[in-house]
Structures are given as C-alpha cells and as structure tokens.
Amino acid sequence: MRTKLPKAILYVTILLVVFWAYGYISGTMQDHVIPEQGEVQLTKEEGHDLATMAAYIQPKNWEYYPEQLYTPADFEKGETIGPVIEGDEPVVTKYGTYRLRIQLPPDRIYAVTGQNFSQSQRLYIDGKLMGSIGAPGNSEENTVPGSKNYYYIFFSEKSEIELVFQCANFNCAGGNPNKSLHIGEYQVIESLNVRRTFGNFVLLGAA
C-alpha cells in the first residue's frame, strides 16, 4: 500500500503537468485571429504584440485558388485566376494555392510553425521558398504526401508579408489541407515549440 501511493501521486502530478502545458499553449501563449478577405492585421494598433504572444491564424477567409499551384511570381505578374474567399464552409478540392497577407511590425525576426498530416505542402514567405512537406501536385500520381511539423524562421524588414501555400491532399477524406499556423517573433514561437515538445514527451511517458 505504501509503494502504490507514491506512484499514484507521481502519476497525478504528471497528468497535471501535461494539462498545464497544453492549457498554457492553448491559452496565454496564443491569440486567436481570423483573417478577413485574405488579410490579417497583427499590429499593436490592432491589439496584438507578437513579441510576447503568438498569433494563431485560423483556417478561414484565406484567398484560395482551387486546382491551381501558383508561385509568388505568378501573383507578382498578375497571372492568376480567382480567388475564392473561404468562409466557414471550405471549398473542397484536392489541390490548390492559399494566399494570405499579414500586416506586422517591420525589422523583426519572426517564425511560423504548424502541423501537416498525410498531406503535401510548399510554403513561400515574401517570394522565398521556406520549405516543403512531401511534394504537392495536380494529380495523385505526381503528389507525394508527408506528415511532420514545420518551423521556419525569417527576417522581415517590411510591414506586410505574403504567405503562399501550395497544397495537395489526394489521400485523405475531405480533400482540403490544414493551413492554420502560429506566427510570432522568433523567441515566442521557440518557447511555444519547446512547451509543445515537452507536453508531448510527458504525455508519451505517462501513457
């Protein structure tokens, strides 16, 4: 009986730590933001401080270009068709391009992070390819899915940045990929990722 009690206390303590970690991530560490017509205002004038709190950008009201895999160069040249603005009811297609413009303080080091499950995506920030998960294509045959978290760091000297996601999802029900993400100054996103990793580690250890 004496040996079981300390183990029970330890188990409860681990669970409390896990709940605290995930609660902290979903609460004080992020500010939920819904885009409007493909744009997001993340300035102090709009009540946001990316130096102290990450912004969780929800997957609504992005510009969406269904069944087109556009690059930033295509937008710069005006060689695009669309877009569709997704609301609560997403436009369901197997591949396409998402675009979002974000206003934020200039001359800062920022980071973006998000999750990708069994889909493929390619992310550009201000015309620069940040990375790919799998390989998005316009058919199942030339699409390579992938599953991983992404974490990209970049410097912006401008007060507006452009995010372009090329996405494809031929192997999951529902079609449309997950495009929600966190953005903030580098140290905020780094802290968010550390807490997320720690929470996952503790959760796996308690299982």
Side-chain angles (χ1 to χ4, degrees):
M1 188 70 177
R2 290 182 179 179
T3 58
K4 291 183 179 180
L5 185 59
K7 289 183 178 180
I9 294 175
L10 178 61
Y11 182 74
V12 171
T13 302
I14 291 174
L15 288 179
L16 289 175
V17 170
V18 172
F19 292 147
W20 171 83
Y22 279 98
Y24 197 77
I25 290 170
S26 62
T28 58
M29 282 293 288
Q30 63 183 9
D31 185 11
H32 289 251
V33 180
I34 299 177
E36 295 183 6
Q37 298 297 311
E39 296 187 6
V40 169
Q41 301 274 350
L42 297 180
T43 61
K44 287 189 176 181
E45 290 76 12
E46 296 294 327
H48 304 285
D49 186 1
L50 297 178
T52 60
M53 184 179 296
Y56 173 67
I57 301 178
Q58 299 188 30
K60 295 180 181 180
N61 301 332
W62 292 54
E63 290 184 4
Y64 183 51
Y65 301 81
E67 298 183 343
Q68 301 289 335
L69 295 176
Y70 288 134
T71 67
D74 294 323
F75 290 106
E76 187 175 359
K77 296 175 184 177
E79 298 177 349
T80 60
I81 301 173
V84 174
I85 302 296
E86 288 194 319
D88 293 331
E89 295 296 330
V91 179
V92 179
T93 60
K94 291 297 185 179
Y95 71 98
T97 302
Y98 292 95
R99 181 174 180 241
L100 184 69
R101 294 183 297 275
I102 304 175
Q103 282 77 46
L104 38 63
D107 300 319
R108 309 283 176 87
I109 299 176
Y110 292 102
V112 295
T113 186
Q115 298 174 315
N116 183 75
F117 301 105
S118 300
Q119 304 162 7
S120 60
Q121 65 175 231
R122 186 177 293 123
L123 173 61
Y124 298 86
I125 298 180
D126 274 349
K128 179 181 178 181
L129 176 61
M130 303 303 295
S132 301
I133 301 175
N138 58 5
S139 68
E140 186 173 2
E141 289 72 26
N142 61 18
T143 296
V144 179
S147 295
K148 62 182 284 188
N149 296 341
Y150 62 87
Y151 176 38
Y152 304 127
I153 302 170
F154 64 98
F155 173 78
S156 178
E157 61 182 12
K158 301 187 300 183
S159 58
E160 180 177 287
I161 64 172
E162 176 194 65
L163 272 61
V164 175
F165 271 104
Q166 293 180 350
C167 301
N169 183 9
F170 287 92
N171 62 321
C172 294
N176 285 29
N178 176 26
K179 57 189 177 294
S180 58
L181 56 84
H182 289 86
I183 185 170
E185 291 195 23
Y186 160 72
Q187 69 277 5
V188 173
I189 300 300
E190 176 69 13
S191 177
L192 180 71
N193 280 335
V194 168
R195 290 180 182 276
R196 178 187 291 153
T197 303
F198 174 74
N200 289 337
F201 175 77
V202 174
L203 188 61
L204 289 173

